[in-house]
Amino acid sequence: MQEFFPRRGLPNVIQKLENGETVTIVYFGGSNTRSEGYRVMTADWLRGHYPNADIRSVNAGISGTGSDLGCARLETDVLRHQPDLVFVEFVGNDGGVPESKARIEGIVRQIRKRSRFTDILFVYTLKERDVVLFQSGEYQKGALMQEEVADYYGIPSIHLGVAVSQLVSEEKLIFTSREDMSIPGAVIFTHDSIHPTIPEGHQIYTDTIIRSFERISELRGRVGRVEHNLPQDPLVPSNPWEYATMLSLDSLTHFSAGWSYLTPDDFALAREYNWLFPGLWRAIEPGEAITVQFEGTHIGLFDIGGPDSGRLKVSVDGGEPFLVDRFTPHNDHNRNQYVFLPELPNGKHTVRFEIDTEKTDKAAFFEACGNERSREHVRQNPDWYDQTVIQLGKLLLVQPPL
């Protein structure tokens, strides 16, 4: 299987590196990007390989997030840094959903609209479940969708799973093993089937990226600065995702009286997440609500969930209410999370989010997931779980022209 597809390459960033100029690289993705793994290792290699260049590396990875949130946070986390190169890593968290192709295209079109000279590189990580596919000659479904976008826009891509799967076949790599185990003569790639070990697992990803980067440098020739293409028509017809944005909640939102805005100065959780949000809007009582009036096709909330999280009763344009639970299978601890409502017709909408009176049976929720450890956590901390707290950080919108 081919691990690298050069397409139109990375002509602009390589030229600046070779000329010893200042270069900004933004690593944009999920937990594998946020960790101190391939992101740090590839930046270190580039600094060693191009010692005259001033290389600035920006960590724009957020654990547990996909390309939908990526589209919305692109301006805040990527474009404001005026990048020369953007790594895009969302295959793992997108999970092969059909909408992924439109969202990835939305990311590309936003970058290209800002600058036709910014290079983009797609990197595809893998999970243990993907190994069998690779060994039978198939890429992940999500990677295949992104490859359509890469073909359409001339973006190079790297399938990091090819080398990993080959090492598994050669019995030189154990994909998943407990942290307290070591196997002579074999690399332990993950402890959880998803996140490579540091440094050993991420070194394999890094070596693959370095091989590809060296190849792309050889293929570049002396073409000079290249203006990348931005076709007038998107690959996905009527694709709205290039118009995604992330806003402060107070810009379009009416709050009922029970909401408080808490800053890092006065709330520990706001201090913990001040790298994401300047503050948190917090309400604890059922019946407290926010109302948002907006124009567009999608609305979502970027929030903090935890053991105390409640659920929201949502009504769109005065329609029948439905429930959106902000307590998730991961909420035996506090974590950043987000939700988008289903797509709406493009136009003006009024959406009301109200904290529901009824509570989720959180112990039963964990039991249904087969998570006995978290269920025991509920038994040990009943007061923490017996709450209906909602903590909001940002408003997510998709607003194509009417």
Side-chain angles (χ1 to χ4, degrees):
M1 296 178 73
Q2 190 172 333
E3 71 178 8
F4 172 54
F5 292 83
R7 299 189 177 89
R8 295 195 69 193
L10 305 172
N12 300 318
V13 71
I14 290 175
Q15 183 182 52
K16 292 186 77 170
L17 289 167
E18 291 177 346
N19 290 343
E21 299 179 45
T22 298
V23 167
T24 298
I25 302 173
V26 176
Y27 293 84
F28 188 43
S31 53
N32 281 322
T33 293
R34 180 159 183 79
S35 73
E36 304 290 303
Y38 87 89
R39 171 180 56 82
V40 173
M41 294 173 177
T42 56
D44 285 346
W45 178 82
L46 287 166
R47 291 186 182 104
H49 198 67
Y50 299 98
N52 295 324
D54 178 13
I55 299 173
R56 180 187 178 212
S57 171
V58 177
N59 182 0
I62 302 180
S63 300
T65 65
S67 58
D68 47 0
L69 180 65
C71 285
R73 67 184 181 91
L74 196 70
E75 174 63 41
T76 301
D77 294 349
V78 177
L79 297 180
R80 72 180 179 88
H81 298 289
Q82 298 179 298
D84 298 289
L85 171 62
V86 181
F87 280 74
V88 178
E89 177 269 311
F90 285 114
V91 159
N93 286 341
D94 276 7
V97 297
E99 295 83 4
S100 177
K101 181 164 70 173
R103 296 164 181 170
I104 290 294
E105 183 180 36
I107 289 171
V108 171
R109 292 186 70 85
Q110 284 189 60
I111 295 171
R112 291 275 167 89
K113 282 195 295 187
R114 176 62 62 88
S115 170
R116 298 285 191 93
F117 297 98
T118 298
D119 293 337
I120 303 170
L121 176 63
F122 288 173
V123 292
Y124 308 130
T125 59
L126 87 163
K127 301 179 180 180
E128 187 168 24
R129 68 188 185 201
D130 302 322
V131 172
V132 173
L133 280 175
F134 274 87
Q135 291 177 329
S136 63
E138 296 180 46
Y139 300 107
Q140 310 102 309
K141 181 180 177 182
L144 292 174
M145 286 190 288
Q146 290 198 30
E147 286 291 86
E148 292 183 52
V149 178
D151 279 336
Y152 193 68
Y153 292 94
I155 295 168
S157 60
I158 305 173
H159 293 266
L160 300 174
V162 173
V164 174
S165 299
Q166 184 174 339
L167 290 169
V168 172
S169 298
E170 295 170 355
E171 299 183 350
K172 295 178 180 177
L173 181 146
I174 306 300
F175 202 98
T176 302
S177 179
R178 297 200 317 263
E179 290 189 46
D180 59 354
M181 289 186 65
S182 62
I183 300 170
V187 173
I188 304 299
F189 189 63
T190 78
H191 298 308
D192 63 1
S193 79
I194 298 171
H195 301 98
T197 53
I198 298 173
E200 296 85 357
H202 268 280
Q203 188 63 57
I204 297 169
Y205 278 177
T206 301
D207 291 343
T208 304
I209 293 169
I210 290 171
R211 277 196 304 276
S212 302
F213 207 94
E214 290 175 333
R215 180 63 179 144
I216 219 166
S217 299
E218 294 168 3
L219 294 171
R220 184 175 73 91
R222 294 292 171 185
V223 295
R225 201 165 184 235
V226 173
E227 184 173 0
H228 294 296
N229 66 314
L230 179 62
Q232 182 175 349
D233 295 325
L235 174 66
V236 178
S238 304
N239 187 356
W241 284 95
E242 67 181 279
Y243 303 101
T245 188
M246 182 169 71
L247 303 173
S248 61
L249 275 146
D250 51 4
S251 58
L252 296 172
T253 306
H254 172 75
F255 294 86
S256 62
W259 289 86
S260 300
Y261 185 69
L262 303 173
T263 69
D265 293 332
D266 49 33
F267 188 47
L269 194 64
R271 284 194 295 278
E272 183 180 349
Y273 286 94
N274 66 351
W275 61 280
L276 277 180
F277 312 121
L280 293 170
W281 286 95
R282 189 172 193 265
I284 61 176
E285 296 294 339
E288 297 296 343
I290 64 170
T291 303
V292 184
Q293 293 183 313
F294 78 104
E295 293 183 0
T297 58
H298 295 77
I299 184 171
L301 300 171
F302 194 9
D303 59 343
I304 302 296
D308 54 1
S309 289
R311 57 190 191 182
L312 294 168
K313 187 164 59 176
V314 183
S315 59
V316 178
D317 298 329
E320 191 69 23
F322 58 92
L323 292 176
V324 174
D325 204 337
R326 301 316 298 136
F327 181 80
T328 77
H330 308 288
N331 284 149
D332 59 0
H333 62 284
N334 292 316
R335 70 194 299 269
N336 56 268
Q337 57 190 32
Y338 66 99
V339 63
F340 276 98
L341 300 189
E343 184 171 5
L344 299 168
N346 193 16
K348 295 182 179 180
H349 300 286
T350 300
V351 181
R352 189 173 191 272
F353 301 87
E354 178 185 327
I355 300 179
D356 191 33
T357 305
E358 298 296 320
K359 298 175 184 176
T360 299
D361 186 335
K362 295 172 182 178
F365 189 93
F366 284 135
E367 183 179 17
C369 298
N371 189 339
E372 183 55 35
R373 180 185 60 82
S374 296
R375 188 182 178 205
E376 178 61 27
H377 194 249
V378 178
R379 287 194 286 264
Q380 293 176 2
N381 303 275
D383 292 342
W384 194 7
Y385 284 87
D386 188 27
Q387 299 183 61
T388 56
V389 176
I390 298 294
Q391 300 172 124
L392 305 177
K394 291 284 188 177
L395 183 67
L396 310 174
L397 297 174
V398 181
Q399 299 181 292
L402 291 173

